[in-house]
Amino acid sequence: MREDLAAVNVTRTYTLAASNIAIFTFMLFFLYPRFESGRINPLLFQATLIAMGVATFSLVFATLHYYRCSLGGRLSDTERELHARRADRFWLLGYTTMFLAPSLVLFLIGLQAVASIWLGFWLVYLFFVFRFFPRIQTPRESQ
């Protein structure tokens, strides 16, 4: 991975992680009182918060690995490739769980039809990820 591309990926991934933290805080502000009063499903609420946590931490770890790739001559090409592949995987996990969270929130507030459509979109996304991600991630050095 080129240093300039890695630096751009640091910014993009950092922005996604920061947005995810803002959404997490927003969810807590509006949904925690409903959780406390028993008006929403407690397991689904906690599953949603876990998904947001996995997304945030995965994106943060992706940012760290992309940052390592951007350090220039301090890393060998093999080390840079290893960090780039790890960053790609962390980014994918974070982005995938971040995309799942809206459907969980919609189920949580009782909008089953809309939530089902969002979940369907997420499943279509998963299909494309499994089909195409191995071809678009950072290539191995031997390839």
Side-chain angles (χ1 to χ4, degrees), residues 91-113:
W91 180 87
L92 181 65
L93 177 62
Y95 199 74
T96 300
T97 54
M98 191 172 84
F99 189 35
L100 173 64
S103 59
L104 295 176
V105 169
L106 290 167
F107 278 120
L108 191 60
I109 62 173
L111 297 174
Q112 282 14 338

Side-chain angles (χ1 to χ4, degrees), residues 8-18 58-60 62-63 66 91:
V8 169
N9 284 341
V10 167
T11 303
R12 289 178 184 157
T13 309
Y14 173 78
T15 302
L16 282 174
S58 294
L59 291 168
V60 167
T63 301
Y66 283 133
W91 180 87

Side-chain angles (χ1 to χ4, degrees), residues 22-93:
I23 294 166
F24 180 85
T25 305
F26 183 81
M27 277 179 35
L28 283 177
F29 182 77
F30 286 102
L31 294 176
Y32 189 75
R34 289 182 172 190
F35 169 73
E36 280 286 303
S37 66
R39 292 186 293 163
I40 59 174
N41 182 329
L43 293 176
L44 189 54
F45 178 69
Q46 292 176 46
T48 304
L49 295 179
I50 289 169
M52 296 295 290
V54 168
T56 301
F57 282 100
S58 294
L59 291 168
V60 167
F61 281 115
T63 301
L64 290 174
H65 284 288
Y66 283 133
Y67 177 73
R68 293 282 314 261
C69 292
S70 72
L71 291 178
R74 298 180 191 169
L75 295 176
S76 69
D77 288 342
T78 304
E79 289 175 309
R80 187 175 290 120
E81 173 200 326
L82 175 66
H83 286 291
R85 290 181 68 76
R86 285 180 185 164
D88 290 345
R89 290 179 182 136
F90 278 124
W91 180 87
L92 181 65
L93 177 62

Side-chain angles (χ1 to χ4, degrees), residues 99-104 106-107 112-126:
F99 189 35
L100 173 64
S103 59
L104 295 176
L106 290 167
F107 278 120
Q112 282 14 338
V114 178
S116 297
I117 291 170
W118 271 82
L119 186 60
F121 287 144
W122 184 74
L123 292 172
V124 169
Y125 166 77
L126 277 184

